[in-house]
Amino acid sequence: VGAVTFLDTPGHAAFKTMRQSGSDAADILVLVIAADDGVSEQTVEILDFYKSIISSSGGSGISLVIAMNKIDKPGIEVDEARMRIESQLLEHGILTE
């Protein structure tokens, strides 16, 4: 029986070392993007980190799951926010399913 460990780090550079050490034991990276903010500088930093893990592992390793939060805020059109975020992710080489 394996263990499940969650490592929650903010997306900014101060936590880069923590993310790198946690990636050695990780199978899944969950990236949460706010519906009202979309892809931010911190998101791009995490995407670059994810892509570096994939390239150093030969294409295997950690799966990426993207979640959208703040969908309940007034004025948020969920489908519009999802399409905007998917488009922004594509600009950074991430194709969603």
Side-chain angles (χ1 to χ4, degrees):
V1 175
V4 175
T5 304
F6 291 91
L7 177 63
D8 182 13
T9 64
H12 50 80
F15 292 87
K16 185 174 186 175
T17 302
M18 185 185 295
R19 283 192 299 275
Q20 287 174 332
S21 62
S23 71
D24 294 336
D27 295 315
I28 300 171
L29 188 153
V30 179
L31 175 60
V32 180
I33 301 175
D36 56 346
D37 293 337
V39 173
S40 66
E41 288 181 39
Q42 289 87 359
T43 307
V44 173
E45 183 179 326
I46 297 299
L47 293 173
D48 290 343
F49 172 68
Y50 173 72
K51 289 187 272 186
S52 74
I53 293 170
I54 294 301
S55 66
S56 68
S57 69
S60 63
I62 299 178
S63 296
L64 176 64
V65 175
I66 299 173
M68 183 172 62
N69 69 347
K70 299 186 181 181
I71 61 173
D72 58 341
K73 285 184 78 173
I76 295 292
E77 296 292 332
V78 176
D79 288 334
E80 181 181 303
R82 180 186 49 81
M83 288 189 303
R84 178 174 44 88
I85 289 170
E86 286 178 345
S87 176
Q88 292 170 334
L89 289 168
L90 192 55
E91 290 173 14
H92 295 281
I94 302 295
L95 180 62
T96 60
E97 296 180 357

